Amino acid sequence: MAKRLTMMLLRNFFYVPIILIRLLWYAKSDKISEEKKYSLIRLIGNRGCLKGNVTVHGYGFDNLPKESGYIMFPNHQGLFDVMGLVHLNPTPFGVVIKKEAYKVPLLRQLVQTMGGLFIDRDDVKQGLQIINEMASQVKAGRNFLIFPEGTRSKNGNKLGEFKGGSFKAATKAKCPIVPIAIIDSYLPFDQNTTNQVDVQIHILPPIMYEEYKPMKTNEIADYVKEKIQKVITENEHNFN
């Protein structure tokens, strides 16, 4: 991670101070629109990919619902996952991330600028509060992303367990579920190199509430995982 991140920072040397000042300001302000905040997040993602020798190949972005108020459920491979999605997706969204990230300088401000939420997976009460808050915001028209694996797989393109609890916000909001298959997103930061890498992001057709309504959350988790696994299996060797 250190080599590529250092390269991204050095190649954006003149942009970094300006972006940093804006990021610290936007993270604390509630007077700046979500669109303006997201434009800054996209600038960071775009310049990171451009100067970090990372090409992100996007597929199926026309599958994203035209109306906001949905939750995206991607597999989780590493820190680059959100950057890659931000790079390609012009529509603002918040992210739910584990509470440990709050202690990481700049990562905390990035999440706050996105209007994200920090969840304590070891505290059932706090976790439920965050799920309810996310559901409430989705009902009000915001979009969110949550990783159903909870933490990155650490096994390349192999999926971890998809946790049913991650889907409770969707069932409460009765919103579209958007499965996302991410391939090779571990390469940019998990390999100590600056070589050119290719990452794939596949947006699958949304699963509407009427389709998953009869299912329990663990059944929804298995259903979404199966869809994502199929896409990964079919495409993981595209750039190898």
mmCIF file of all heavy atoms in Angstrom, residues 165-211:
data_model
loop_
_atom_site.group_PDB
_atom_site.id
_atom_site.type_symbol
_atom_site.label_atom_id
_atom_site.label_comp_id
_atom_site.label_asym_id
_atom_site.label_seq_id
_atom_site.Cartn_x
_atom_site.Cartn_y
_atom_site.Cartn_z
ATOM 1 N N GLY A 165 -27.353 -9.515 8.924
ATOM 2 C CA GLY A 165 -27.636 -8.245 9.599
ATOM 3 C C GLY A 165 -27.389 -7.029 8.732
ATOM 4 O O GLY A 165 -28.009 -5.974 8.941
ATOM 5 N N SER A 166 -26.492 -7.161 7.754
ATOM 6 C CA SER A 166 -26.184 -6.037 6.864
ATOM 7 C C SER A 166 -27.392 -5.634 6.019
ATOM 8 O O SER A 166 -27.451 -4.514 5.514
ATOM 9 C CB SER A 166 -25.023 -6.404 5.931
ATOM 10 O OG SER A 166 -23.873 -6.749 6.664
ATOM 11 N N PHE A 167 -28.346 -6.552 5.870
ATOM 12 C CA PHE A 167 -29.490 -6.299 4.998
ATOM 13 C C PHE A 167 -30.725 -5.808 5.754
ATOM 14 O O PHE A 167 -31.768 -5.574 5.138
ATOM 15 C CB PHE A 167 -29.815 -7.564 4.199
ATOM 16 C CG PHE A 167 -28.735 -7.942 3.230
ATOM 17 C CD1 PHE A 167 -27.672 -8.746 3.637
ATOM 18 C CD2 PHE A 167 -28.747 -7.479 1.925
ATOM 19 C CE1 PHE A 167 -26.659 -9.084 2.757
ATOM 20 C CE2 PHE A 167 -27.731 -7.805 1.040
ATOM 21 C CZ PHE A 167 -26.682 -8.610 1.451
ATOM 22 N N LYS A 168 -30.599 -5.649 7.075
ATOM 23 C CA LYS A 168 -31.747 -5.204 7.857
ATOM 24 C C LYS A 168 -32.200 -3.801 7.471
ATOM 25 O O LYS A 168 -33.388 -3.493 7.490
ATOM 26 C CB LYS A 168 -31.415 -5.257 9.352
ATOM 27 C CG LYS A 168 -31.342 -6.671 9.901
ATOM 28 C CD LYS A 168 -31.056 -6.671 11.395
ATOM 29 C CE LYS A 168 -31.023 -8.103 11.937
ATOM 30 N NZ LYS A 168 -30.703 -8.140 13.389
ATOM 31 N N ALA A 169 -31.241 -2.944 7.131
ATOM 32 C CA ALA A 169 -31.611 -1.568 6.754
ATOM 33 C C ALA A 169 -32.452 -1.578 5.483
ATOM 34 O O ALA A 169 -33.400 -0.799 5.358
ATOM 35 C CB ALA A 169 -30.359 -0.719 6.545
ATOM 36 N N ALA A 170 -32.120 -2.464 4.552
ATOM 37 C CA ALA A 170 -32.887 -2.549 3.304
ATOM 38 C C ALA A 170 -34.314 -3.011 3.578
ATOM 39 O O ALA A 170 -35.273 -2.467 3.020
ATOM 40 C CB ALA A 170 -32.200 -3.500 2.327
ATOM 41 N N THR A 171 -34.466 -4.021 4.441
ATOM 42 C CA THR A 171 -35.806 -4.516 4.739
ATOM 43 C C THR A 171 -36.636 -3.474 5.474
ATOM 44 O O THR A 171 -37.848 -3.386 5.290
ATOM 45 C CB THR A 171 -35.744 -5.812 5.575
ATOM 46 O OG1 THR A 171 -35.074 -5.562 6.817
ATOM 47 C CG2 THR A 171 -35.003 -6.905 4.822
ATOM 48 N N LYS A 172 -35.976 -2.663 6.301
ATOM 49 C CA LYS A 172 -36.684 -1.604 7.017
ATOM 50 C C LYS A 172 -37.078 -0.468 6.069
ATOM 51 O O LYS A 172 -38.169 0.105 6.179
ATOM 52 C CB LYS A 172 -35.815 -1.051 8.147
ATOM 53 C CG LYS A 172 -35.645 -1.993 9.339
ATOM 54 C CD LYS A 172 -34.708 -1.388 10.371
ATOM 55 C CE LYS A 172 -34.532 -2.320 11.572
ATOM 56 N NZ LYS A 172 -35.784 -2.390 12.376
ATOM 57 N N ALA A 173 -36.187 -0.141 5.140
ATOM 58 C CA ALA A 173 -36.458 0.955 4.204
ATOM 59 C C ALA A 173 -37.298 0.497 3.010
ATOM 60 O O ALA A 173 -37.821 1.332 2.263
ATOM 61 C CB ALA A 173 -35.147 1.552 3.705
ATOM 62 N N LYS A 174 -37.401 -0.836 2.828
ATOM 63 C CA LYS A 174 -38.138 -1.406 1.691
ATOM 64 C C LYS A 174 -37.596 -0.851 0.368
ATOM 65 O O LYS A 174 -38.341 -0.503 -0.546
ATOM 66 C CB LYS A 174 -39.632 -1.132 1.816
ATOM 67 C CG LYS A 174 -40.259 -1.710 3.071
ATOM 68 C CD LYS A 174 -41.751 -1.407 3.152
ATOM 69 C CE LYS A 174 -42.356 -1.986 4.422
ATOM 70 N NZ LYS A 174 -43.815 -1.697 4.535
ATOM 71 N N CYS A 175 -36.287 -0.778 0.303
ATOM 72 C CA CYS A 175 -35.635 -0.123 -0.837
ATOM 73 C C CYS A 175 -34.988 -1.133 -1.775
ATOM 74 O O CYS A 175 -34.813 -2.304 -1.413
ATOM 75 C CB CYS A 175 -34.572 0.849 -0.322
ATOM 76 S SG CYS A 175 -33.154 -0.002 0.429
ATOM 77 N N PRO A 176 -34.602 -0.698 -2.970
ATOM 78 C CA PRO A 176 -33.866 -1.583 -3.881
ATOM 79 C C PRO A 176 -32.504 -1.962 -3.297
ATOM 80 O O PRO A 176 -31.812 -1.135 -2.698
ATOM 81 C CB PRO A 176 -33.699 -0.741 -5.144
ATOM 82 C CG PRO A 176 -34.790 0.276 -5.082
ATOM 83 C CD PRO A 176 -34.947 0.587 -3.630
ATOM 84 N N ILE A 177 -32.147 -3.211 -3.456
ATOM 85 C CA ILE A 177 -30.824 -3.724 -3.107
ATOM 86 C C ILE A 177 -30.015 -3.826 -4.401
ATOM 87 O O ILE A 177 -30.460 -4.445 -5.366
ATOM 88 C CB ILE A 177 -30.932 -5.116 -2.446
ATOM 89 C CG1 ILE A 177 -31.480 -4.985 -1.014
ATOM 90 C CG2 ILE A 177 -29.587 -5.832 -2.448
ATOM 91 C CD1 ILE A 177 -31.772 -6.328 -0.351
ATOM 92 N N VAL A 178 -28.841 -3.212 -4.415
ATOM 93 C CA VAL A 178 -28.001 -3.229 -5.617
ATOM 94 C C VAL A 178 -26.739 -4.047 -5.343
ATOM 95 O O VAL A 178 -25.818 -3.567 -4.673
ATOM 96 C CB VAL A 178 -27.610 -1.805 -6.063
ATOM 97 C CG1 VAL A 178 -26.787 -1.869 -7.350
ATOM 98 C CG2 VAL A 178 -28.854 -0.939 -6.263
ATOM 99 N N PRO A 179 -26.676 -5.291 -5.824
ATOM 100 C CA PRO A 179 -25.451 -6.085 -5.643
ATOM 101 C C PRO A 179 -24.336 -5.541 -6.543
ATOM 102 O O PRO A 179 -24.591 -5.109 -7.672
ATOM 103 C CB PRO A 179 -25.870 -7.492 -6.102
ATOM 104 C CG PRO A 179 -27.365 -7.470 -6.170
ATOM 105 C CD PRO A 179 -27.732 -6.053 -6.498
ATOM 106 N N ILE A 180 -23.119 -5.549 -6.022
ATOM 107 C CA ILE A 180 -21.969 -5.079 -6.798
ATOM 108 C C ILE A 180 -20.833 -6.087 -6.674
ATOM 109 O O ILE A 180 -20.435 -6.451 -5.568
ATOM 110 C CB ILE A 180 -21.492 -3.691 -6.316
ATOM 111 C CG1 ILE A 180 -22.621 -2.655 -6.467
ATOM 112 C CG2 ILE A 180 -20.246 -3.250 -7.078
ATOM 113 C CD1 ILE A 180 -22.251 -1.279 -5.961
ATOM 114 N N ALA A 181 -20.323 -6.529 -7.819
ATOM 115 C CA ALA A 181 -19.193 -7.453 -7.840
ATOM 116 C C ALA A 181 -17.914 -6.674 -8.114
ATOM 117 O O ALA A 181 -17.780 -6.026 -9.153
ATOM 118 C CB ALA A 181 -19.405 -8.523 -8.911
ATOM 119 N N ILE A 182 -16.993 -6.712 -7.162
ATOM 120 C CA ILE A 182 -15.712 -6.021 -7.297
ATOM 121 C C ILE A 182 -14.616 -7.061 -7.503
ATOM 122 O O ILE A 182 -14.520 -8.034 -6.747
ATOM 123 C CB ILE A 182 -15.422 -5.167 -6.053
ATOM 124 C CG1 ILE A 182 -16.467 -4.047 -5.933
ATOM 125 C CG2 ILE A 182 -14.017 -4.580 -6.113
ATOM 126 C CD1 ILE A 182 -16.288 -3.166 -4.716
ATOM 127 N N ILE A 183 -13.807 -6.848 -8.525
ATOM 128 C CA ILE A 183 -12.771 -7.816 -8.892
ATOM 129 C C ILE A 183 -11.397 -7.133 -8.934
ATOM 130 O O ILE A 183 -11.239 -6.064 -9.530
ATOM 131 C CB ILE A 183 -13.077 -8.442 -10.266
ATOM 132 C CG1 ILE A 183 -14.436 -9.162 -10.234
ATOM 133 C CG2 ILE A 183 -11.972 -9.409 -10.688
ATOM 134 C CD1 ILE A 183 -14.898 -9.673 -11.595
ATOM 135 N N ASP A 184 -10.426 -7.744 -8.272
ATOM 136 C CA ASP A 184 -9.022 -7.294 -8.266
ATOM 137 C C ASP A 184 -8.815 -5.937 -7.591
ATOM 138 O O ASP A 184 -7.798 -5.275 -7.823
ATOM 139 C CB ASP A 184 -8.460 -7.240 -9.698
ATOM 140 C CG ASP A 184 -8.290 -8.625 -10.305
ATOM 141 O OD1 ASP A 184 -8.206 -9.606 -9.531
ATOM 142 O OD2 ASP A 184 -8.243 -8.735 -11.539
ATOM 143 N N SER A 185 -9.750 -5.534 -6.736
ATOM 144 C CA SER A 185 -9.601 -4.262 -6.035
ATOM 145 C C SER A 185 -8.569 -4.329 -4.910
ATOM 146 O O SER A 185 -8.176 -3.309 -4.358
ATOM 147 C CB SER A 185 -10.958 -3.820 -5.465
ATOM 148 O OG SER A 185 -10.880 -2.539 -4.903
ATOM 149 N N TYR A 186 -8.123 -5.524 -4.599
ATOM 150 C CA TYR A 186 -7.067 -5.691 -3.600
ATOM 151 C C TYR A 186 -5.691 -5.354 -4.168
ATOM 152 O O TYR A 186 -4.737 -5.090 -3.429
ATOM 153 C CB TYR A 186 -7.068 -7.125 -3.056
ATOM 154 C CG TYR A 186 -6.713 -8.174 -4.077
ATOM 155 C CD1 TYR A 186 -5.397 -8.629 -4.210
ATOM 156 C CD2 TYR A 186 -7.679 -8.706 -4.921
ATOM 157 C CE1 TYR A 186 -5.060 -9.584 -5.171
ATOM 158 C CE2 TYR A 186 -7.358 -9.660 -5.876
ATOM 159 C CZ TYR A 186 -6.053 -10.091 -5.994
ATOM 160 O OH TYR A 186 -5.734 -11.032 -6.945
ATOM 161 N N LEU A 187 -5.570 -5.358 -5.492
ATOM 162 C CA LEU A 187 -4.258 -5.177 -6.125
ATOM 163 C C LEU A 187 -3.612 -3.809 -5.865
ATOM 164 O O LEU A 187 -2.412 -3.749 -5.598
ATOM 165 C CB LEU A 187 -4.370 -5.415 -7.635
ATOM 166 C CG LEU A 187 -4.709 -6.839 -8.072
ATOM 167 C CD1 LEU A 187 -4.902 -6.903 -9.586
ATOM 168 C CD2 LEU A 187 -3.618 -7.808 -7.644
ATOM 169 N N PRO A 188 -4.352 -2.689 -5.959
ATOM 170 C CA PRO A 188 -3.685 -1.389 -5.819
ATOM 171 C C PRO A 188 -2.958 -1.188 -4.498
ATOM 172 O O PRO A 188 -1.846 -0.646 -4.479
ATOM 173 C CB PRO A 188 -4.847 -0.395 -5.964
ATOM 174 C CG PRO A 188 -5.851 -1.100 -6.796
ATOM 175 C CD PRO A 188 -5.765 -2.529 -6.360
ATOM 176 N N PHE A 189 -3.555 -1.617 -3.384
ATOM 177 C CA PHE A 189 -2.968 -1.310 -2.083
ATOM 178 C C PHE A 189 -2.412 -2.523 -1.345
ATOM 179 O O PHE A 189 -1.627 -2.366 -0.414
ATOM 180 C CB PHE A 189 -3.992 -0.614 -1.192
ATOM 181 C CG PHE A 189 -4.334 0.785 -1.652
ATOM 182 C CD1 PHE A 189 -5.606 1.308 -1.452
ATOM 183 C CD2 PHE A 189 -3.390 1.586 -2.282
ATOM 184 C CE1 PHE A 189 -5.923 2.597 -1.861
ATOM 185 C CE2 PHE A 189 -3.698 2.869 -2.703
ATOM 186 C CZ PHE A 189 -4.972 3.380 -2.492
ATOM 187 N N ASP A 190 -2.815 -3.725 -1.722
ATOM 188 C CA ASP A 190 -2.327 -4.907 -1.013
ATOM 189 C C ASP A 190 -1.016 -5.434 -1.586
ATOM 190 O O ASP A 190 -0.328 -6.211 -0.937
ATOM 191 C CB ASP A 190 -3.375 -6.023 -1.046
ATOM 192 C CG ASP A 190 -4.469 -5.807 -0.013
ATOM 193 O OD1 ASP A 190 -4.553 -4.680 0.507
ATOM 194 O OD2 ASP A 190 -5.233 -6.749 0.264
ATOM 195 N N GLN A 191 -0.684 -5.022 -2.803
ATOM 196 C CA GLN A 191 0.599 -5.408 -3.377
ATOM 197 C C GLN A 191 1.549 -4.222 -3.328
ATOM 198 O O GLN A 191 1.188 -3.114 -3.733
ATOM 199 C CB GLN A 191 0.416 -5.884 -4.819
ATOM 200 C CG GLN A 191 -0.384 -7.172 -4.935
ATOM 201 C CD GLN A 191 -0.355 -7.759 -6.334
ATOM 202 O OE1 GLN A 191 0.042 -7.099 -7.283
ATOM 203 N NE2 GLN A 191 -0.772 -9.008 -6.461
ATOM 204 N N ASN A 192 2.744 -4.452 -2.836
ATOM 205 C CA ASN A 192 3.704 -3.369 -2.621
ATOM 206 C C ASN A 192 4.411 -3.024 -3.925
ATOM 207 O O ASN A 192 5.611 -3.241 -4.097
ATOM 208 C CB ASN A 192 4.717 -3.763 -1.546
ATOM 209 C CG ASN A 192 5.442 -2.540 -1.005
ATOM 210 O OD1 ASN A 192 4.916 -1.423 -1.034
ATOM 211 N ND2 ASN A 192 6.641 -2.751 -0.499
ATOM 212 N N THR A 193 3.630 -2.499 -4.871
ATOM 213 C CA THR A 193 4.155 -2.164 -6.187
ATOM 214 C C THR A 193 3.414 -0.948 -6.733
ATOM 215 O O THR A 193 2.343 -0.596 -6.235
ATOM 216 C CB THR A 193 3.975 -3.356 -7.158
ATOM 217 O OG1 THR A 193 4.409 -2.971 -8.462
ATOM 218 C CG2 THR A 193 2.516 -3.771 -7.229
ATOM 219 N N THR A 194 4.002 -0.325 -7.753
ATOM 220 C CA THR A 194 3.336 0.806 -8.406
ATOM 221 C C THR A 194 3.005 0.466 -9.859
ATOM 222 O O THR A 194 2.671 1.347 -10.638
ATOM 223 C CB THR A 194 4.229 2.059 -8.358
ATOM 224 O OG1 THR A 194 5.479 1.783 -8.994
ATOM 225 C CG2 THR A 194 4.459 2.507 -6.937
ATOM 226 N N ASN A 195 3.100 -0.797 -10.227
ATOM 227 C CA ASN A 195 2.792 -1.208 -11.595
ATOM 228 C C ASN A 195 1.329 -0.947 -11.926
ATOM 229 O O ASN A 195 0.462 -0.914 -11.041
ATOM 230 C CB ASN A 195 3.099 -2.697 -11.794
ATOM 231 C CG ASN A 195 4.582 -3.004 -11.708
ATOM 232 O OD1 ASN A 195 5.417 -2.123 -11.910
ATOM 233 N ND2 ASN A 195 4.916 -4.251 -11.406
ATOM 234 N N GLN A 196 1.042 -0.786 -13.218
ATOM 235 C CA GLN A 196 -0.320 -0.609 -13.688
ATOM 236 C C GLN A 196 -1.182 -1.813 -13.288
ATOM 237 O O GLN A 196 -0.766 -2.959 -13.453
ATOM 238 C CB GLN A 196 -0.342 -0.457 -15.208
ATOM 239 C CG GLN A 196 -1.706 -0.582 -15.846
ATOM 240 C CD GLN A 196 -2.618 0.581 -15.504
ATOM 241 O OE1 GLN A 196 -2.145 1.707 -15.371
ATOM 242 N NE2 GLN A 196 -3.900 0.319 -15.372
ATOM 243 N N VAL A 197 -2.376 -1.541 -12.729
ATOM 244 C CA VAL A 197 -3.304 -2.613 -12.377
ATOM 245 C C VAL A 197 -4.696 -2.275 -12.911
ATOM 246 O O VAL A 197 -5.037 -1.103 -13.123
ATOM 247 C CB VAL A 197 -3.378 -2.853 -10.851
ATOM 248 C CG1 VAL A 197 -2.055 -3.374 -10.328
ATOM 249 C CG2 VAL A 197 -3.783 -1.594 -10.113
ATOM 250 N N ASP A 198 -5.489 -3.307 -13.131
ATOM 251 C CA ASP A 198 -6.858 -3.154 -13.614
ATOM 252 C C ASP A 198 -7.826 -3.670 -12.559
ATOM 253 O O ASP A 198 -7.646 -4.778 -12.028
ATOM 254 C CB ASP A 198 -7.064 -3.930 -14.914
ATOM 255 C CG ASP A 198 -6.238 -3.364 -16.060
ATOM 256 O OD1 ASP A 198 -6.701 -2.411 -16.693
ATOM 257 O OD2 ASP A 198 -5.123 -3.888 -16.299
ATOM 258 N N VAL A 199 -8.843 -2.880 -12.287
ATOM 259 C CA VAL A 199 -9.883 -3.244 -11.325
ATOM 260 C C VAL A 199 -11.223 -3.247 -12.059
ATOM 261 O O VAL A 199 -11.466 -2.399 -12.923
ATOM 262 C CB VAL A 199 -9.926 -2.240 -10.150
ATOM 263 C CG1 VAL A 199 -11.112 -2.512 -9.236
ATOM 264 C CG2 VAL A 199 -8.620 -2.283 -9.365
ATOM 265 N N GLN A 200 -12.072 -4.200 -11.720
ATOM 266 C CA GLN A 200 -13.398 -4.261 -12.331
ATOM 267 C C GLN A 200 -14.492 -4.002 -11.295
ATOM 268 O O GLN A 200 -14.415 -4.513 -10.167
ATOM 269 C CB GLN A 200 -13.658 -5.641 -12.939
ATOM 270 C CG GLN A 200 -12.686 -6.075 -14.015
ATOM 271 C CD GLN A 200 -13.001 -7.477 -14.490
ATOM 272 O OE1 GLN A 200 -14.112 -7.773 -14.948
ATOM 273 N NE2 GLN A 200 -12.019 -8.362 -14.400
ATOM 274 N N ILE A 201 -15.495 -3.226 -11.695
ATOM 275 C CA ILE A 201 -16.666 -3.015 -10.854
ATOM 276 C C ILE A 201 -17.906 -3.304 -11.705
ATOM 277 O O ILE A 201 -18.150 -2.637 -12.710
ATOM 278 C CB ILE A 201 -16.715 -1.586 -10.294
ATOM 279 C CG1 ILE A 201 -15.517 -1.342 -9.372
ATOM 280 C CG2 ILE A 201 -18.031 -1.353 -9.536
ATOM 281 C CD1 ILE A 201 -15.476 0.052 -8.763
ATOM 282 N N HIS A 202 -18.658 -4.316 -11.302
ATOM 283 C CA HIS A 202 -19.858 -4.732 -12.023
ATOM 284 C C HIS A 202 -21.098 -4.405 -11.191
ATOM 285 O O HIS A 202 -21.255 -4.942 -10.089
ATOM 286 C CB HIS A 202 -19.823 -6.233 -12.301
ATOM 287 C CG HIS A 202 -18.703 -6.681 -13.187
ATOM 288 N ND1 HIS A 202 -18.887 -6.986 -14.524
ATOM 289 C CD2 HIS A 202 -17.378 -6.868 -12.926
ATOM 290 C CE1 HIS A 202 -17.722 -7.357 -15.043
ATOM 291 N NE2 HIS A 202 -16.798 -7.290 -14.099
ATOM 292 N N ILE A 203 -21.952 -3.532 -11.705
ATOM 293 C CA ILE A 203 -23.215 -3.215 -11.042
ATOM 294 C C ILE A 203 -24.273 -4.188 -11.558
ATOM 295 O O ILE A 203 -24.574 -4.207 -12.753
ATOM 296 C CB ILE A 203 -23.670 -1.766 -11.322
ATOM 297 C CG1 ILE A 203 -22.528 -0.780 -11.028
ATOM 298 C CG2 ILE A 203 -24.912 -1.436 -10.516
ATOM 299 C CD1 ILE A 203 -22.124 -0.685 -9.587
ATOM 300 N N LEU A 204 -24.832 -4.987 -10.672
ATOM 301 C CA LEU A 204 -25.835 -5.964 -11.066
ATOM 302 C C LEU A 204 -27.227 -5.328 -11.024
ATOM 303 O O LEU A 204 -27.420 -4.296 -10.354
ATOM 304 C CB LEU A 204 -25.790 -7.179 -10.142
ATOM 305 C CG LEU A 204 -24.660 -8.203 -10.382
ATOM 306 C CD1 LEU A 204 -23.282 -7.596 -10.188
ATOM 307 C CD2 LEU A 204 -24.849 -9.397 -9.458
ATOM 308 N N PRO A 205 -28.196 -5.902 -11.718
ATOM 309 C CA PRO A 205 -29.561 -5.371 -11.657
ATOM 310 C C PRO A 205 -30.070 -5.327 -10.226
ATOM 311 O O PRO A 205 -29.795 -6.241 -9.434
ATOM 312 C CB PRO A 205 -30.368 -6.377 -12.497
ATOM 313 C CG PRO A 205 -29.365 -6.951 -13.449
ATOM 314 C CD PRO A 205 -28.079 -7.031 -12.667
ATOM 315 N N PRO A 206 -30.797 -4.279 -9.859
ATOM 316 C CA PRO A 206 -31.289 -4.162 -8.488
ATOM 317 C C PRO A 206 -32.311 -5.242 -8.156
ATOM 318 O O PRO A 206 -33.039 -5.720 -9.028
ATOM 319 C CB PRO A 206 -31.927 -2.768 -8.457
ATOM 320 C CG PRO A 206 -32.265 -2.475 -9.885
ATOM 321 C CD PRO A 206 -31.208 -3.137 -10.701
ATOM 322 N N ILE A 207 -32.337 -5.613 -6.885
ATOM 323 C CA ILE A 207 -33.333 -6.548 -6.369
ATOM 324 C C ILE A 207 -34.384 -5.707 -5.652
ATOM 325 O O ILE A 207 -34.083 -5.064 -4.633
ATOM 326 C CB ILE A 207 -32.689 -7.557 -5.395
ATOM 327 C CG1 ILE A 207 -31.519 -8.273 -6.071
ATOM 328 C CG2 ILE A 207 -33.728 -8.568 -4.905
ATOM 329 C CD1 ILE A 207 -30.666 -9.085 -5.098
ATOM 330 N N MET A 208 -35.580 -5.690 -6.176
ATOM 331 C CA MET A 208 -36.622 -4.836 -5.625
ATOM 332 C C MET A 208 -37.245 -5.469 -4.384
ATOM 333 O O MET A 208 -37.182 -6.690 -4.177
ATOM 334 C CB MET A 208 -37.688 -4.547 -6.682
ATOM 335 C CG MET A 208 -37.115 -4.009 -7.997
ATOM 336 S SD MET A 208 -35.999 -2.586 -7.783
ATOM 337 C CE MET A 208 -37.213 -1.319 -7.351
ATOM 338 N N TYR A 209 -37.865 -4.635 -3.575
ATOM 339 C CA TYR A 209 -38.418 -5.074 -2.292
ATOM 340 C C TYR A 209 -39.389 -6.235 -2.459
ATOM 341 O O TYR A 209 -39.366 -7.190 -1.678
ATOM 342 C CB TYR A 209 -39.107 -3.905 -1.581
ATOM 343 C CG TYR A 209 -39.766 -4.307 -0.279
ATOM 344 C CD1 TYR A 209 -39.007 -4.753 0.802
ATOM 345 C CD2 TYR A 209 -41.155 -4.257 -0.139
ATOM 346 C CE1 TYR A 209 -39.601 -5.137 1.988
ATOM 347 C CE2 TYR A 209 -41.759 -4.629 1.048
ATOM 348 C CZ TYR A 209 -40.983 -5.067 2.114
ATOM 349 O OH TYR A 209 -41.587 -5.458 3.283
ATOM 350 N N GLU A 210 -40.244 -6.176 -3.461
ATOM 351 C CA GLU A 210 -41.238 -7.239 -3.652
ATOM 352 C C GLU A 210 -40.579 -8.590 -3.900
ATOM 353 O O GLU A 210 -41.158 -9.635 -3.579
ATOM 354 C CB GLU A 210 -42.175 -6.877 -4.814
ATOM 355 C CG GLU A 210 -43.112 -5.728 -4.523
ATOM 356 C CD GLU A 210 -43.954 -5.976 -3.275
ATOM 357 O OE1 GLU A 210 -44.461 -7.115 -3.121
ATOM 358 O OE2 GLU A 210 -44.115 -5.048 -2.460
ATOM 359 N N GLU A 211 -39.367 -8.582 -4.452
ATOM 360 C CA GLU A 211 -38.662 -9.836 -4.711
ATOM 361 C C GLU A 211 -38.069 -10.426 -3.449
ATOM 362 O O GLU A 211 -38.114 -11.647 -3.240
ATOM 363 C CB GLU A 211 -37.562 -9.617 -5.758
ATOM 364 C CG GLU A 211 -36.818 -10.894 -6.131
ATOM 365 C CD GLU A 211 -35.755 -10.685 -7.189
ATOM 366 O OE1 GLU A 211 -35.673 -9.571 -7.752
ATOM 367 O OE2 GLU A 211 -35.002 -11.649 -7.458
#
